[in-house]
Amino acid sequence: MSSVRIKWLASIWICVGLQVVMAQDCSDPAPLCFVQFNNITVDSTGNGPLMADLNCANPAMNGTLYQITTIAPGDFQILLENIQCDTAGNQLGDGLILTVYDSADPCNPGPASIIACEMVSDQITLDLTAATADQNFYVAIYGDMEAGDSGPADCGYELQTSGEAVEFALTVPSVQYEILLGQSVDIEGVTGVEEYLWSGSGQITEDTMANPTITPNGIGEFTYQVMGTQGDCEVTEEVTILVQPNIIPADVITPNGDGINDEWYVLFLDERFDRADVRIFDRWGQVVYKSIGYGVTQLWDGTNNGNRLPAGAYYYVIDLKTSESGEGPVFTGAVNVIY
């Protein structure tokens, strides 16, 4: 079984989460996978679970809590922006409180573990530094209440993190592979995360490898998905493989002018293989026909430079030139000229 490798252009994707979160159990923080789009809400009385004053001593108990796990030592940033609060008659707070801490116990951080605690109504960027990989930081977002407010506002926001200590990217091929039935594709260049899992029909060798070999099990377009995992964050991308049928050369031509089999036909050898090198030889190894591509205007009619060839066996070599190296797969065989 042959393999085909095709060049590709890389695309980079990041892990994006979409969720609506109320106050939660601080023992189960949500992973912050670069970007979260959330909405803080309260109940109709304004006494919802997110109602809080500037409570930096124990922020996790009354807000939405995220966990950031670093992948390397170094700097990173936390950005809270696009805050849109629905306030009513100044009875609701009009912003959010952002608290960051690095306690070993997210439910009881204690004042000493607080890195930042800010009231935010527009946007804020915090610059942080991780000492090691696998270091946990916790980010609590909860409603801002001031004197006279009956509850925190209903606020939408965007929270994201970036920087060398936290970023990862799943790099995958971004072009379609094209092979013949029975061939395989050696995936190359998939990188960026700790764990991989491929899925799709046919045979996938080592589906937990970054770059497996894939053999589809039919003709047509096949889509394969790779899921990359980094800590608690997941990102997926797809690879498409188009499987064409193998070419089928005729083994006889009868160029007698009756309009039946007067030319040599090769089934499925068409404009898709416009680089194909087609050559036909006589029994002494002399080339009697050659072409690049084999379209309807290039069909061999049993002649050599316009001269009718004698009946007998002739031998073809067809190089489709679809591989990355520009050579192969190659098909050989005999075609008989009969008058």
Side-chain angles (χ1 to χ4, degrees), residues 124-171:
I124 190 172
T125 299
L126 299 179
D127 295 311
L128 304 171
T129 300
T132 64
D134 298 320
Q135 183 175 351
N136 290 327
F137 292 82
Y138 298 94
V139 180
I141 304 290
Y142 49 101
D144 172 20
M145 282 187 62
E146 299 176 358
D149 291 337
S150 61
D154 180 0
C155 298
Y157 64 90
E158 180 178 309
L159 177 67
Q160 59 182 295
T161 184
S162 61
E164 61 181 353
V166 295
E167 285 186 345
F168 70 90
L170 177 61
T171 303

mmCIF file of all heavy atoms in Angstrom, residues 124-171:
data_model
loop_
_atom_site.group_PDB
_atom_site.id
_atom_site.type_symbol
_atom_site.label_atom_id
_atom_site.label_comp_id
_atom_site.label_asym_id
_atom_site.label_seq_id
_atom_site.Cartn_x
_atom_site.Cartn_y
_atom_site.Cartn_z
ATOM 1 N N ILE A 124 -9.948 46.232 31.854
ATOM 2 C CA ILE A 124 -8.704 46.242 32.612
ATOM 3 C C ILE A 124 -7.820 45.108 32.115
ATOM 4 O O ILE A 124 -8.310 44.044 31.720
ATOM 5 C CB ILE A 124 -8.967 46.093 34.130
ATOM 6 C CG1 ILE A 124 -7.677 46.346 34.919
ATOM 7 C CG2 ILE A 124 -9.546 44.731 34.455
ATOM 8 C CD1 ILE A 124 -7.892 46.417 36.423
ATOM 9 N N THR A 125 -6.512 45.353 32.095
ATOM 10 C CA THR A 125 -5.528 44.329 31.764
ATOM 11 C C THR A 125 -4.589 44.166 32.946
ATOM 12 O O THR A 125 -4.043 45.149 33.452
ATOM 13 C CB THR A 125 -4.715 44.709 30.514
ATOM 14 O OG1 THR A 125 -5.595 44.846 29.398
ATOM 15 C CG2 THR A 125 -3.677 43.636 30.201
ATOM 16 N N LEU A 126 -4.417 42.935 33.382
ATOM 17 C CA LEU A 126 -3.490 42.636 34.466
ATOM 18 C C LEU A 126 -2.295 41.874 33.904
ATOM 19 O O LEU A 126 -2.464 40.902 33.161
ATOM 20 C CB LEU A 126 -4.176 41.792 35.538
ATOM 21 C CG LEU A 126 -5.388 42.412 36.232
ATOM 22 C CD1 LEU A 126 -5.968 41.431 37.242
ATOM 23 C CD2 LEU A 126 -5.013 43.722 36.924
ATOM 24 N N ASP A 127 -1.096 42.304 34.250
ATOM 25 C CA ASP A 127 0.134 41.624 33.849
ATOM 26 C C ASP A 127 0.617 40.753 35.001
ATOM 27 O O ASP A 127 0.868 41.252 36.104
ATOM 28 C CB ASP A 127 1.213 42.639 33.472
ATOM 29 C CG ASP A 127 0.841 43.451 32.239
ATOM 30 O OD1 ASP A 127 0.442 42.827 31.235
ATOM 31 O OD2 ASP A 127 0.936 44.695 32.286
ATOM 32 N N LEU A 128 0.761 39.453 34.727
ATOM 33 C CA LEU A 128 1.132 38.494 35.760
ATOM 34 C C LEU A 128 2.331 37.682 35.301
ATOM 35 O O LEU A 128 2.677 37.648 34.115
ATOM 36 C CB LEU A 128 -0.044 37.565 36.059
ATOM 37 C CG LEU A 128 -1.351 38.258 36.476
ATOM 38 C CD1 LEU A 128 -2.478 37.253 36.519
ATOM 39 C CD2 LEU A 128 -1.186 38.947 37.819
ATOM 40 N N THR A 129 2.951 36.995 36.256
ATOM 41 C CA THR A 129 4.114 36.156 35.957
ATOM 42 C C THR A 129 3.962 34.820 36.659
ATOM 43 O O THR A 129 3.626 34.763 37.845
ATOM 44 C CB THR A 129 5.419 36.828 36.409
ATOM 45 O OG1 THR A 129 5.570 38.075 35.719
ATOM 46 C CG2 THR A 129 6.620 35.943 36.098
ATOM 47 N N ALA A 130 4.202 33.753 35.902
ATOM 48 C CA ALA A 130 4.184 32.403 36.465
ATOM 49 C C ALA A 130 5.610 31.952 36.720
ATOM 50 O O ALA A 130 6.487 32.112 35.864
ATOM 51 C CB ALA A 130 3.500 31.438 35.503
ATOM 52 N N ALA A 131 5.832 31.388 37.888
ATOM 53 C CA ALA A 131 7.177 30.923 38.231
ATOM 54 C C ALA A 131 7.495 29.587 37.578
ATOM 55 O O ALA A 131 8.654 29.298 37.264
ATOM 56 C CB ALA A 131 7.320 30.813 39.745
ATOM 57 N N THR A 132 6.468 28.765 37.370
ATOM 58 C CA THR A 132 6.680 27.420 36.843
ATOM 59 C C THR A 132 5.532 27.044 35.913
ATOM 60 O O THR A 132 4.507 27.729 35.850
ATOM 61 C CB THR A 132 6.736 26.379 37.977
ATOM 62 O OG1 THR A 132 5.453 26.344 38.636
ATOM 63 C CG2 THR A 132 7.822 26.711 38.984
ATOM 64 N N ALA A 133 5.708 25.936 35.216
ATOM 65 C CA ALA A 133 4.589 25.326 34.503
ATOM 66 C C ALA A 133 3.660 24.663 35.521
ATOM 67 O O ALA A 133 4.060 24.386 36.658
ATOM 68 C CB ALA A 133 5.101 24.297 33.501
ATOM 69 N N ASP A 134 2.416 24.436 35.130
ATOM 70 C CA ASP A 134 1.411 23.793 35.986
ATOM 71 C C ASP A 134 1.127 24.583 37.257
ATOM 72 O O ASP A 134 0.721 24.019 38.276
ATOM 73 C CB ASP A 134 1.831 22.361 36.344
ATOM 74 C CG ASP A 134 1.942 21.472 35.120
ATOM 75 O OD1 ASP A 134 1.083 21.598 34.236
ATOM 76 O OD2 ASP A 134 2.890 20.672 35.052
ATOM 77 N N GLN A 135 1.328 25.882 37.210
ATOM 78 C CA GLN A 135 0.971 26.731 38.344
ATOM 79 C C GLN A 135 -0.474 27.188 38.171
ATOM 80 O O GLN A 135 -0.882 27.598 37.084
ATOM 81 C CB GLN A 135 1.899 27.945 38.416
ATOM 82 C CG GLN A 135 1.646 28.845 39.628
ATOM 83 C CD GLN A 135 2.663 29.977 39.728
ATOM 84 O OE1 GLN A 135 3.654 30.011 38.988
ATOM 85 N NE2 GLN A 135 2.425 30.906 40.631
ATOM 86 N N ASN A 136 -1.268 27.110 39.227
ATOM 87 C CA ASN A 136 -2.680 27.464 39.154
ATOM 88 C C ASN A 136 -2.921 28.887 39.653
ATOM 89 O O ASN A 136 -2.452 29.275 40.730
ATOM 90 C CB ASN A 136 -3.521 26.495 39.989
ATOM 91 C CG ASN A 136 -3.590 25.116 39.369
ATOM 92 O OD1 ASN A 136 -3.584 24.983 38.148
ATOM 93 N ND2 ASN A 136 -3.653 24.092 40.197
ATOM 94 N N PHE A 137 -3.652 29.632 38.842
ATOM 95 C CA PHE A 137 -4.151 30.945 39.229
ATOM 96 C C PHE A 137 -5.674 30.892 39.155
ATOM 97 O O PHE A 137 -6.238 30.201 38.300
ATOM 98 C CB PHE A 137 -3.630 32.038 38.288
ATOM 99 C CG PHE A 137 -2.153 32.289 38.391
ATOM 100 C CD1 PHE A 137 -1.249 31.474 37.728
ATOM 101 C CD2 PHE A 137 -1.665 33.346 39.143
ATOM 102 C CE1 PHE A 137 0.116 31.708 37.810
ATOM 103 C CE2 PHE A 137 -0.302 33.588 39.232
ATOM 104 C CZ PHE A 137 0.594 32.762 38.564
ATOM 105 N N TYR A 138 -6.328 31.629 40.034
ATOM 106 C CA TYR A 138 -7.788 31.649 40.058
ATOM 107 C C TYR A 138 -8.278 33.065 39.799
ATOM 108 O O TYR A 138 -7.730 34.041 40.326
ATOM 109 C CB TYR A 138 -8.309 31.128 41.397
ATOM 110 C CG TYR A 138 -7.905 29.693 41.639
ATOM 111 C CD1 TYR A 138 -6.757 29.392 42.368
ATOM 112 C CD2 TYR A 138 -8.640 28.652 41.091
ATOM 113 C CE1 TYR A 138 -6.362 28.075 42.556
ATOM 114 C CE2 TYR A 138 -8.251 27.336 41.279
ATOM 115 C CZ TYR A 138 -7.110 27.052 42.011
ATOM 116 O OH TYR A 138 -6.721 25.748 42.183
ATOM 117 N N VAL A 139 -9.304 33.153 38.956
ATOM 118 C CA VAL A 139 -9.888 34.440 38.589
ATOM 119 C C VAL A 139 -11.360 34.403 38.965
ATOM 120 O O VAL A 139 -12.111 33.556 38.478
ATOM 121 C CB VAL A 139 -9.739 34.711 37.081
ATOM 122 C CG1 VAL A 139 -10.345 36.064 36.726
ATOM 123 C CG2 VAL A 139 -8.275 34.643 36.661
ATOM 124 N N ALA A 140 -11.771 35.316 39.842
ATOM 125 C CA ALA A 140 -13.171 35.406 40.259
ATOM 126 C C ALA A 140 -13.786 36.676 39.681
ATOM 127 O O ALA A 140 -13.200 37.757 39.763
ATOM 128 C CB ALA A 140 -13.281 35.412 41.778
ATOM 129 N N ILE A 141 -14.956 36.521 39.068
ATOM 130 C CA ILE A 141 -15.708 37.651 38.522
ATOM 131 C C ILE A 141 -17.055 37.690 39.239
ATOM 132 O O ILE A 141 -17.776 36.691 39.266
ATOM 133 C CB ILE A 141 -15.949 37.493 37.011
ATOM 134 C CG1 ILE A 141 -14.628 37.317 36.262
ATOM 135 C CG2 ILE A 141 -16.727 38.682 36.464
ATOM 136 C CD1 ILE A 141 -13.773 38.546 36.227
ATOM 137 N N TYR A 142 -17.396 38.838 39.814
ATOM 138 C CA TYR A 142 -18.693 38.935 40.473
ATOM 139 C C TYR A 142 -19.180 40.372 40.432
ATOM 140 O O TYR A 142 -18.445 41.294 40.068
ATOM 141 C CB TYR A 142 -18.658 38.386 41.898
ATOM 142 C CG TYR A 142 -17.531 38.882 42.771
ATOM 143 C CD1 TYR A 142 -17.759 39.871 43.714
ATOM 144 C CD2 TYR A 142 -16.255 38.334 42.666
ATOM 145 C CE1 TYR A 142 -16.726 40.308 44.526
ATOM 146 C CE2 TYR A 142 -15.227 38.764 43.476
ATOM 147 C CZ TYR A 142 -15.462 39.756 44.401
ATOM 148 O OH TYR A 142 -14.448 40.193 45.201
ATOM 149 N N GLY A 143 -20.455 40.563 40.779
ATOM 150 C CA GLY A 143 -21.102 41.853 40.607
ATOM 151 C C GLY A 143 -20.629 42.906 41.589
ATOM 152 O O GLY A 143 -20.359 42.626 42.755
ATOM 153 N N ASP A 144 -20.574 44.147 41.113
ATOM 154 C CA ASP A 144 -20.163 45.293 41.923
ATOM 155 C C ASP A 144 -21.385 45.917 42.583
ATOM 156 O O ASP A 144 -22.364 46.247 41.919
ATOM 157 C CB ASP A 144 -19.465 46.302 41.007
ATOM 158 C CG ASP A 144 -19.172 47.617 41.714
ATOM 159 O OD1 ASP A 144 -19.152 47.625 42.955
ATOM 160 O OD2 ASP A 144 -18.949 48.612 41.007
ATOM 161 N N MET A 145 -21.332 46.057 43.914
ATOM 162 C CA MET A 145 -22.393 46.759 44.641
ATOM 163 C C MET A 145 -21.802 47.922 45.418
ATOM 164 O O MET A 145 -20.745 47.798 46.023
ATOM 165 C CB MET A 145 -23.097 45.814 45.617
ATOM 166 C CG MET A 145 -24.097 44.881 44.975
ATOM 167 S SD MET A 145 -25.011 43.972 46.237
ATOM 168 C CE MET A 145 -25.829 45.321 47.095
ATOM 169 N N GLU A 146 -22.487 49.028 45.342
ATOM 170 C CA GLU A 146 -22.090 50.200 46.107
ATOM 171 C C GLU A 146 -23.230 50.588 47.046
ATOM 172 O O GLU A 146 -24.322 50.021 46.997
ATOM 173 C CB GLU A 146 -21.742 51.346 45.157
ATOM 174 C CG GLU A 146 -20.578 51.012 44.215
ATOM 175 C CD GLU A 146 -20.304 52.120 43.221
ATOM 176 O OE1 GLU A 146 -21.049 53.124 43.250
ATOM 177 O OE2 GLU A 146 -19.368 51.974 42.422
ATOM 178 N N ALA A 147 -22.982 51.552 47.889
ATOM 179 C CA ALA A 147 -24.009 51.978 48.852
ATOM 180 C C ALA A 147 -25.280 52.396 48.123
ATOM 181 O O ALA A 147 -25.243 53.157 47.158
ATOM 182 C CB ALA A 147 -23.482 53.134 49.696
ATOM 183 N N GLY A 148 -26.404 51.888 48.570
ATOM 184 C CA GLY A 148 -27.687 52.229 47.970
ATOM 185 C C GLY A 148 -28.129 51.290 46.869
ATOM 186 O O GLY A 148 -29.275 51.361 46.426
ATOM 187 N N ASP A 149 -27.243 50.429 46.412
ATOM 188 C CA ASP A 149 -27.617 49.477 45.369
ATOM 189 C C ASP A 149 -28.385 48.313 45.988
ATOM 190 O O ASP A 149 -28.057 47.837 47.076
ATOM 191 C CB ASP A 149 -26.379 48.918 44.660
ATOM 192 C CG ASP A 149 -25.686 49.968 43.813
ATOM 193 O OD1 ASP A 149 -26.353 50.940 43.424
ATOM 194 O OD2 ASP A 149 -24.477 49.806 43.538
ATOM 195 N N SER A 150 -29.409 47.870 45.269
ATOM 196 C CA SER A 150 -30.171 46.724 45.759
ATOM 197 C C SER A 150 -29.597 45.403 45.273
ATOM 198 O O SER A 150 -30.010 44.342 45.727
ATOM 199 C CB SER A 150 -31.624 46.836 45.297
ATOM 200 O OG SER A 150 -31.690 46.834 43.883
ATOM 201 N N GLY A 151 -28.666 45.441 44.358
ATOM 202 C CA GLY A 151 -28.051 44.215 43.849
ATOM 203 C C GLY A 151 -27.068 44.537 42.744
ATOM 204 O O GLY A 151 -27.021 45.667 42.258
ATOM 205 N N PRO A 152 -26.276 43.580 42.367
ATOM 206 C CA PRO A 152 -25.339 43.798 41.263
ATOM 207 C C PRO A 152 -26.079 43.806 39.935
ATOM 208 O O PRO A 152 -27.167 43.256 39.799
ATOM 209 C CB PRO A 152 -24.393 42.600 41.360
ATOM 210 C CG PRO A 152 -25.223 41.531 41.986
ATOM 211 C CD PRO A 152 -26.162 42.224 42.931
ATOM 212 N N ALA A 153 -25.493 44.463 38.951
ATOM 213 C CA ALA A 153 -26.124 44.564 37.643
ATOM 214 C C ALA A 153 -26.059 43.238 36.896
ATOM 215 O O ALA A 153 -25.281 42.350 37.219
ATOM 216 C CB ALA A 153 -25.437 45.646 36.823
ATOM 217 N N ASP A 154 -26.925 43.140 35.875
ATOM 218 C CA ASP A 154 -26.864 42.033 34.922
ATOM 219 C C ASP A 154 -25.841 42.440 33.865
ATOM 220 O O ASP A 154 -26.111 43.300 33.032
ATOM 221 C CB ASP A 154 -28.247 41.833 34.309
ATOM 222 C CG ASP A 154 -28.277 40.692 33.308
ATOM 223 O OD1 ASP A 154 -27.221 40.070 33.096
ATOM 224 O OD2 ASP A 154 -29.347 40.438 32.743
ATOM 225 N N CYS A 155 -24.667 41.841 33.901
ATOM 226 C CA CYS A 155 -23.552 42.287 33.063
ATOM 227 C C CYS A 155 -23.041 41.155 32.176
ATOM 228 O O CYS A 155 -22.777 40.052 32.656
ATOM 229 C CB CYS A 155 -22.380 42.783 33.913
ATOM 230 S SG CYS A 155 -22.750 44.202 34.961
ATOM 231 N N GLY A 156 -22.881 41.458 30.916
ATOM 232 C CA GLY A 156 -22.147 40.571 30.035
ATOM 233 C C GLY A 156 -20.704 41.037 29.968
ATOM 234 O O GLY A 156 -20.405 42.214 30.169
ATOM 235 N N TYR A 157 -19.777 40.131 29.669
ATOM 236 C CA TYR A 157 -18.371 40.512 29.624
ATOM 237 C C TYR A 157 -17.580 39.494 28.822
ATOM 238 O O TYR A 157 -18.053 38.403 28.512
ATOM 239 C CB TYR A 157 -17.779 40.618 31.030
ATOM 240 C CG TYR A 157 -17.739 39.309 31.792
ATOM 241 C CD1 TYR A 157 -16.637 38.455 31.722
ATOM 242 C CD2 TYR A 157 -18.807 38.930 32.602
ATOM 243 C CE1 TYR A 157 -16.614 37.263 32.422
ATOM 244 C CE2 TYR A 157 -18.786 37.742 33.306
ATOM 245 C CZ TYR A 157 -17.684 36.906 33.210
ATOM 246 O OH TYR A 157 -17.659 35.723 33.894
ATOM 247 N N GLU A 158 -16.365 39.879 28.491
ATOM 248 C CA GLU A 158 -15.422 38.980 27.837
ATOM 249 C C GLU A 158 -14.161 38.929 28.679
ATOM 250 O O GLU A 158 -13.594 39.960 29.031
ATOM 251 C CB GLU A 158 -15.096 39.469 26.428
ATOM 252 C CG GLU A 158 -14.109 38.567 25.680
ATOM 253 C CD GLU A 158 -13.849 39.061 24.262
ATOM 254 O OE1 GLU A 158 -14.823 39.305 23.535
ATOM 255 O OE2 GLU A 158 -12.679 39.228 23.906
ATOM 256 N N LEU A 159 -13.752 37.723 29.012
ATOM 257 C CA LEU A 159 -12.559 37.512 29.829
ATOM 258 C C LEU A 159 -11.600 36.640 29.038
ATOM 259 O O LEU A 159 -11.987 35.586 28.535
ATOM 260 C CB LEU A 159 -12.935 36.828 31.141
ATOM 261 C CG LEU A 159 -11.787 36.459 32.088
ATOM 262 C CD1 LEU A 159 -11.121 37.712 32.639
ATOM 263 C CD2 LEU A 159 -12.304 35.585 33.227
ATOM 264 N N GLN A 160 -10.365 37.069 28.909
ATOM 265 C CA GLN A 160 -9.416 36.264 28.159
ATOM 266 C C GLN A 160 -8.025 36.365 28.755
ATOM 267 O O GLN A 160 -7.716 37.293 29.505
ATOM 268 C CB GLN A 160 -9.389 36.673 26.695
ATOM 269 C CG GLN A 160 -9.020 38.121 26.438
ATOM 270 C CD GLN A 160 -9.066 38.436 24.957
ATOM 271 O OE1 GLN A 160 -8.286 37.909 24.177
ATOM 272 N NE2 GLN A 160 -9.985 39.294 24.565
ATOM 273 N N THR A 161 -7.222 35.381 28.420
ATOM 274 C CA THR A 161 -5.843 35.361 28.883
ATOM 275 C C THR A 161 -4.934 35.060 27.710
ATOM 276 O O THR A 161 -5.320 34.375 26.761
ATOM 277 C CB THR A 161 -5.656 34.312 29.995
ATOM 278 O OG1 THR A 161 -4.326 34.380 30.497
ATOM 279 C CG2 THR A 161 -5.922 32.915 29.502
ATOM 280 N N SER A 162 -3.719 35.588 27.758
ATOM 281 C CA SER A 162 -2.766 35.390 26.670
ATOM 282 C C SER A 162 -1.357 35.527 27.225
ATOM 283 O O SER A 162 -1.158 35.990 28.345
ATOM 284 C CB SER A 162 -3.001 36.422 25.557
ATOM 285 O OG SER A 162 -2.824 37.741 26.054
ATOM 286 N N GLY A 163 -0.388 35.109 26.437
ATOM 287 C CA GLY A 163 0.998 35.217 26.862
ATOM 288 C C GLY A 163 1.702 33.876 26.869
ATOM 289 O O GLY A 163 1.083 32.812 26.815
ATOM 290 N N GLU A 164 3.027 33.921 26.946
ATOM 291 C CA GLU A 164 3.835 32.717 26.789
ATOM 292 C C GLU A 164 3.575 31.665 27.859
ATOM 293 O O GLU A 164 3.780 30.474 27.629
ATOM 294 C CB GLU A 164 5.320 33.091 26.801
ATOM 295 C CG GLU A 164 5.787 33.746 28.103
ATOM 296 C CD GLU A 164 7.259 34.121 28.070
ATOM 297 O OE1 GLU A 164 7.926 33.742 27.094
ATOM 298 O OE2 GLU A 164 7.733 34.781 29.015
ATOM 299 N N ALA A 165 3.111 32.072 29.019
ATOM 300 C CA ALA A 165 2.908 31.106 30.102
ATOM 301 C C ALA A 165 1.626 30.303 29.942
ATOM 302 O O ALA A 165 1.472 29.263 30.589
ATOM 303 C CB ALA A 165 2.894 31.829 31.448
ATOM 304 N N VAL A 166 0.706 30.755 29.082
ATOM 305 C CA VAL A 166 -0.604 30.101 29.021
ATOM 306 C C VAL A 166 -1.044 29.706 27.621
ATOM 307 O O VAL A 166 -1.946 28.884 27.466
ATOM 308 C CB VAL A 166 -1.692 31.005 29.641
ATOM 309 C CG1 VAL A 166 -1.444 31.202 31.125
ATOM 310 C CG2 VAL A 166 -1.771 32.348 28.918
ATOM 311 N N GLU A 167 -0.453 30.266 26.591
ATOM 312 C CA GLU A 167 -0.983 30.042 25.252
ATOM 313 C C GLU A 167 -0.530 28.716 24.658
ATOM 314 O O GLU A 167 0.615 28.316 24.803
ATOM 315 C CB GLU A 167 -0.569 31.172 24.308
ATOM 316 C CG GLU A 167 -1.337 32.453 24.539
ATOM 317 C CD GLU A 167 -1.005 33.507 23.504
ATOM 318 O OE1 GLU A 167 0.009 33.352 22.799
ATOM 319 O OE2 GLU A 167 -1.764 34.483 23.409
ATOM 320 N N PHE A 168 -1.443 28.058 23.977
ATOM 321 C CA PHE A 168 -1.089 26.925 23.142
ATOM 322 C C PHE A 168 -1.878 27.038 21.845
ATOM 323 O O PHE A 168 -2.889 27.736 21.769
ATOM 324 C CB PHE A 168 -1.378 25.594 23.843
ATOM 325 C CG PHE A 168 -2.838 25.271 24.001
ATOM 326 C CD1 PHE A 168 -3.518 24.559 23.034
ATOM 327 C CD2 PHE A 168 -3.532 25.673 25.128
ATOM 328 C CE1 PHE A 168 -4.864 24.252 23.181
ATOM 329 C CE2 PHE A 168 -4.877 25.374 25.287
ATOM 330 C CZ PHE A 168 -5.545 24.657 24.304
ATOM 331 N N ALA A 169 -1.401 26.382 20.818
ATOM 332 C CA ALA A 169 -2.066 26.442 19.518
ATOM 333 C C ALA A 169 -2.024 25.065 18.878
ATOM 334 O O ALA A 169 -1.010 24.377 18.944
ATOM 335 C CB ALA A 169 -1.381 27.465 18.613
ATOM 336 N N LEU A 170 -3.117 24.666 18.275
ATOM 337 C CA LEU A 170 -3.177 23.418 17.523
ATOM 338 C C LEU A 170 -2.976 23.755 16.052
ATOM 339 O O LEU A 170 -3.791 24.438 15.441
ATOM 340 C CB LEU A 170 -4.524 22.727 17.728
ATOM 341 C CG LEU A 170 -4.754 21.438 16.924
ATOM 342 C CD1 LEU A 170 -3.721 20.387 17.294
ATOM 343 C CD2 LEU A 170 -6.159 20.911 17.151
ATOM 344 N N THR A 171 -1.859 23.303 15.497
ATOM 345 C CA THR A 171 -1.531 23.560 14.101
ATOM 346 C C THR A 171 -1.855 22.319 13.285
ATOM 347 O O THR A 171 -1.395 21.226 13.607
ATOM 348 C CB THR A 171 -0.035 23.904 13.950
ATOM 349 O OG1 THR A 171 0.271 25.027 14.780
ATOM 350 C CG2 THR A 171 0.299 24.236 12.509
#
